[in-house]
C-alpha cells in the first residue's frame, strides 16, 4: 500500500525523534514539532495506521511508538533528509586522515579506528584486491644452467617473480616458445580457470620445456590466491555500551561477541557489486548474530588494483543520515589520497620546457 505524504511525514518524525532520544515517541512530541501542522488526534490515527502496517511498533504498555525494521528501511530508502557535514566536521575528518594515514601498510587498522571515532560506533575496515584479478603477461628469463626466473605481470604495474631450479638445461628458444604458449593460453584467466585440462593443453604445446608448466601453474595460482586475500579490522566494539539498547549486560555481551572479524568477514563481499553506500537494516543481515543491528558500508579505491570497504555496526536506531554522510566523506577523501591522478599526455612532437 502506498503511504500518503502525511503518513511519510509522521513516520520520518518518529524515526528522527527516536534517534535523538532513544525513547518511545508519542503523538504529543510530534505535534510540538515546528513543521507539524496536524492535530494530535490526526497524528494518533496516522501512528495507529503505521503500526498496523508494520512500520511502527509499540513496546510493552508504553503509549509511544518506535520504528520497526520495515520503518527504518523506508526511512533509509525514501524519507531521511540529506545530512550536511559542518565545516568543523569536514576539517576534523581531513585532519585525522592527514595526520594518521601516512602509511598504507597500516591502512585497515587505522581506518577502522578513525571511522569508529568519527561515528561513535563499532567500525569495520577491509582492503582487498579487486575481484577477478588475472595475470596479464608471462616472461621466462635464463639465469644460468638449470636456473630460470619466472616473471608474472599483474594489473596496476605489479610484478612478481620466482627462481625455478631444474635438473635440465633449456635453450633460449625453448623458453621463448613456452613464454609464447603461456601468453596465448594463460593470460586474463581468473583463478578458477587454472584447471588440469589447461595444464595438459599447455604441456602438449611446450616442447622440451613441458616440465616447467606444473611449477608455473602452481606459482600462478598461489599468486592469484594472495591477490584475493582480504585484510580486515574491527574497532570500537565497546562504544555499544554507551547506547541505551545495550544497557542489558547479557545482551551487550552477545552483540559485542558477534562483532568480530569472523562474524563480519562476509560483509565486504556484499559490497562487491554494489554502488555507493549500502544499508542493511536488522533482519536483512545474513548473519543471525546481527539480526538486531544495522550495518552501513561504502567502498573506496586504494589504487593498484586494491579496493577498500568501511562501515559501521550499530543499533537500528542509529542516525542513518549522519552516518552515511560521514562514511561517504571518508570514502571520497581516502580515494583521493590513495589514487594518483594520471599525468596528461603531451601531443606527439611536443616536449616540456627544461
Amino acid at each position: 500500500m502506498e503511504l500518503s505524504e502525511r503518513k511519510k511525514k509522521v513516520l520520518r518524525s518518529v524515526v528522527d525523534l527516536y534517534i535523538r532520544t532513544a525513547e518511545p515517541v508519542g503523538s504529543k512530541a510530534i505535534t510540538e514539532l515546528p513543521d507539524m501542522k496536524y492535530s494530535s488526534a490526526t497524528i494518533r490515527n496516522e501512528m495507529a495506521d503505521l503500526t498496523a502496517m508494520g512500520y511502527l511498533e509499540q513496546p510493552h504498555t508504553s503509549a509511544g511508538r518506535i520504528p520497526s525494521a520495515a520503518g527504518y528501511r523506508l526511512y533509509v530508502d525514501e524519507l531521511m533528509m540529506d545530512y550536511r557535514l559542518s565545516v568543523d566536521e569536514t576539517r576534523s575528518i581531513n585532519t585525522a586522515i592527514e595526520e594518521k594515514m601516512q602509511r598504507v601498510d597500516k591502512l585497515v587498522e587505522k581506518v577502522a579506528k578513525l571511522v569508529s571515532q568519527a561515528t561513535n560506533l563499532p567500525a569495520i575496515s577491509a582492503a582487498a584486491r579487486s575481484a577477478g584479478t588475472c595475470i596479464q603477461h608471462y616472461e621466462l628469463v635464463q639465469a644460468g644452467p638449470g636456473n630460470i626466473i619466472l616473471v608474472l605481470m599483474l594489473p596496476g604495474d605489479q610484478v612478481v617473480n620466482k627462481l625455478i631450479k631444474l635438473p635440465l638445461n633449456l635453450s633460449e628458444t625453448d623458453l621463448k616458445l613456452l613464454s609464447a604458449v603461456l601468453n596465448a593460453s594463460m593470460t586474463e584467466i581468473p583463478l578458477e580457470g587454472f584447471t588440469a585440462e589447461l595444464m595438459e593443453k599447455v604441456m602438449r604445446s611446450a616442447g622440451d620445456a613441458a616440465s616447467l608448466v606444473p611449477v608455473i601453474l602452481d606459482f600462478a595460482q598461489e599468486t592469484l590466491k594472495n591477490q584475493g586475500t582480504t585484510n580486515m579490522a574491527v574497532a570500537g566494539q565497546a562504544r555499544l555500551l554507551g547506547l541505551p539498547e545495550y544497557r542489558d549486560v547479557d545482551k551487550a555481551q552477545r552483540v559485542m561477541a558477534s562483532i568480530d572479524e569472523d562474524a563480519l568477514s562476509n560483509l565486504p563481499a556484499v559490497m562487491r557489486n554494489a554502488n555507493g553506500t549500502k544499508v542493511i537494516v536488522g533482519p536483512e543481515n545474513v548473519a543471525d548474530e546481527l539480526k538486531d543491528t544495522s550495518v552501513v558500508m561504502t567502498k573506496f579505491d586504494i589504487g593498484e588494483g586494491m579496493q577498500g570497504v568501511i562501515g559501521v555496526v550499530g543499533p537500528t536506531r542509529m542516525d542513518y543520515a549522519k552516518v552515511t554522510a560521514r562514511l561517504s566523506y571518508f570514502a571520497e577523501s581516502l580515494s583521493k589520497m590513495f589514487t594518483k591522478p594520471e599525468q596528461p599526455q603531451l601531443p606527439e612532437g611536443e616536449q616540456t620546457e627544461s
Side-chain angles (χ1 to χ4, degrees), residues 344-351:
Q345 298 294 318
L346 292 173
E348 189 173 349
E350 289 191 18
Q351 295 182 349

Side-chain angles (χ1 to χ4, degrees), residues 74-315:
L74 184 63
Y75 176 82
V76 169
D77 289 344
E78 298 182 27
L79 306 181
M80 71 179 182
M81 306 295 287
D82 288 340
Y83 180 84
R84 240 174 237 284
L85 296 181
S86 68
V87 173
D88 286 341
E89 285 176 310
T90 58
R91 185 184 296 118
S92 175
I93 291 174
N94 284 334
T95 301
I97 291 175
E98 289 170 4
E99 290 179 352
K100 299 184 180 181
M101 294 296 300
Q102 299 299 318
R103 298 184 59 188
V104 180
D105 59 349
K106 296 294 183 180
L107 168 71
V108 172
E109 294 85 354
K110 288 183 178 179
V111 168
K113 290 178 182 177
L114 290 173
V115 172
S116 180
Q117 290 167 6
T119 60
N120 202 32
L121 290 169
I124 61 172
S125 174
R129 295 283 168 190
S130 299
T133 298
C134 302
I135 296 169
Q136 296 183 329
H137 188 75
Y138 296 81
E139 196 72 40
L140 294 167
V141 181
Q142 190 85 52
N147 293 330
I148 297 161
I149 298 174
L150 167 64
V151 180
L152 306 182
M153 299 181 188
L154 303 167
D157 297 325
Q158 291 184 89
V159 176
V160 294
N161 58 70
K162 177 182 177 67
L163 177 64
I164 301 173
K165 296 185 176 182
L166 291 176
L168 75 160
N169 293 323
L170 296 173
S171 67
E172 289 287 346
T173 302
D174 294 330
L175 295 181
K176 285 182 179 179
L177 171 63
L178 179 54
S179 294
V181 172
L182 294 172
N183 286 310
S185 306
M186 288 174 47
T187 56
E188 305 299 338
I189 295 176
L191 178 60
E192 58 271 19
F194 285 78
T195 62
E197 291 78 13
L198 177 63
M199 183 171 70
E200 291 175 6
K201 174 186 173 183
V202 174
M203 289 181 70
R204 286 196 298 268
S205 305
D208 293 339
S211 57
L212 268 175
V213 175
V215 180
I216 294 171
L217 227 69
D218 283 346
F219 184 62
Q221 288 175 301
E222 179 185 347
T223 299
L224 292 180
K225 284 178 183 176
N226 291 338
Q227 294 296 303
T229 300
T230 299
N231 295 323
M232 187 169 182
V234 182
Q237 295 96 315
R239 294 180 187 276
L240 288 180
L241 297 177
L243 300 174
E245 287 85 350
Y246 305 105
R247 287 175 182 155
D248 183 309
V249 176
D250 290 337
K251 179 179 179 180
Q253 287 179 338
R254 288 195 302 272
V255 174
M256 287 176 66
S258 71
I259 303 178
D260 59 21
E261 294 178 22
D262 290 335
L264 300 176
S265 59
N266 290 325
L267 290 179
V270 174
M271 293 298 296
R272 190 162 293 158
N273 298 316
N275 293 317
T277 300
K278 186 172 182 66
V279 179
I280 306 174
V281 176
E284 297 173 359
N285 281 291
V286 176
D288 288 337
E289 302 92 337
L290 301 177
K291 294 298 185 184
D292 293 328
T293 62
S294 289
V295 180
V296 183
M297 294 181 293
T298 193
K299 295 189 292 189
F300 63 93
D301 291 325
I302 302 175
E304 297 184 351
M306 292 283 287
Q307 187 174 79
V309 174
I310 52 175
V312 296
V313 180

Side-chain angles (χ1 to χ4, degrees), residues 13-33:
S13 299
V14 172
V15 177
D16 287 339
L17 286 171
Y18 187 60
I19 285 172
R20 291 203 297 269
T21 66
E23 297 292 338
V25 179
S27 58
K28 184 175 184 296
I30 296 178
T31 58
E32 293 174 351
L33 294 174

